[in-house]
Amino acid sequence: MRHSFTVKDYAPCVFSRIRALMGVTPELYLESLCSGLSFIDFIANSRSGQFFFYSFDGVFMIKTVRQDEKDFLLKLLPGYYKHLLKHALRPSFTSENGIGSFYPNGNASLLTRFYGLHCTKLRHLRRKVHFVVMSSIYGANTSSRMIQFDLKGSHYNRSAMKEDKVLKDNDCIAMGVKLRVSKDKADALLDSARHD
């Protein structure tokens, strides 16, 4: 990019602690987002007008957000951080039946992992773009053969449009997709859903 721009970090100390809690090193975060390689799998969400894409290595998902969404996330951030701290897995739990390895990044919460909130000011366009960095459940495995779902647990307005790459709740039901997990992992998932 030959144009000048500035980047602002929101709540950098809190997001840094969240990344550390989840095992995301500063090096991984910066390398994934700032390595000079292009982003992949650009996806436009036509309903919200926001955009989703993955870091080049597939480790992070980036979503543009509106000003009100940015403000809302910042308002929730203290409680979100406390919740993640409260549900961090203890070493003794991780060895029991391998359940600890079932949870993403050693945390018993199933909430989306927000790793950073930033704003890029594009001087040549006189425009600010706010974006949130989240964990990608796919990691580097963003195969085009993979079917991806955005599940929210609702039926209302939850069908993908014909041109959408990511399917939604009603599509999952219509396709008869079922998740099969062992009883101990199912119990762990239900417990996490209750405290989240």
Side-chain angles (χ1 to χ4, degrees):
M1 182 179 221
R2 295 182 185 266
H3 301 285
S4 64
F5 63 94
T6 57
V7 176
K8 178 178 181 177
D9 287 336
Y10 292 97
C13 292
V14 178
F15 281 114
S16 175
R17 289 185 200 128
I18 289 171
R19 290 191 300 269
L21 180 66
M22 299 300 148
V24 176
T25 65
E27 295 80 15
L28 171 64
Y29 193 70
L30 289 173
E31 184 178 314
S32 291
L33 298 177
C34 305
S35 70
L37 297 172
S38 61
F39 294 109
I40 59 172
D41 284 347
F42 180 77
I43 302 168
N45 182 337
S46 56
R47 290 196 183 115
S48 71
Q50 303 306 313
F51 300 97
F52 298 86
F53 44 100
Y54 295 101
S55 58
F56 82 94
D57 54 7
V59 173
F60 300 110
M61 182 180 210
I62 299 106
K63 178 188 182 227
T64 60
V65 293
R66 297 185 315 262
Q67 176 82 30
D68 61 320
E69 292 173 315
K70 181 230 9 148
D71 294 340
F72 187 66
L73 179 56
L74 288 173
K75 183 179 175 183
L76 294 178
L77 191 58
Y80 172 77
Y81 176 58
K82 287 177 188 172
H83 183 81
L84 291 179
L85 277 175
K86 182 178 178 182
H87 297 288
L89 294 180
R90 307 296 177 247
S92 62
F93 183 74
T94 60
S95 60
E96 294 174 20
N97 301 324
I99 294 174
S101 63
F102 181 64
Y103 290 108
N105 303 322
N107 197 283
S109 173
L110 299 174
L111 296 177
T112 299
R113 302 297 192 265
F114 294 107
Y115 291 143
L117 181 61
H118 311 281
C119 176
T120 300
K121 187 173 184 178
L122 306 167
R123 295 174 197 258
H124 66 291
L125 298 177
R126 294 188 183 121
R127 182 172 176 212
K128 291 181 183 177
V129 177
H130 294 93
F131 61 97
V132 63
V133 178
M134 304 172 276
S135 73
S136 167
I137 62 169
Y138 303 110
N141 186 11
T142 54
S143 167
S144 60
R145 295 184 320 242
M146 186 184 304
I147 298 174
Q148 297 180 16
F149 292 95
D150 173 16
L151 302 176
K152 299 203 187 303
S154 172
H155 295 285
Y156 179 73
N157 206 18
R158 298 299 302 156
S159 297
M161 293 185 188
K162 190 176 184 177
E163 66 274 6
D164 290 345
K165 290 182 180 179
V166 178
L167 303 177
K168 299 184 179 179
D169 300 67
N170 293 332
D171 308 306
C172 184
I173 293 166
M175 293 172 70
V177 174
K178 298 196 185 302
L179 299 175
R180 298 191 196 292
V181 295
S182 64
K183 178 161 178 17
D184 57 339
K185 290 180 180 175
D187 291 343
L189 275 171
L190 290 172
D191 188 48
S192 292
R194 279 190 283 277
H195 66 63
D196 283 347

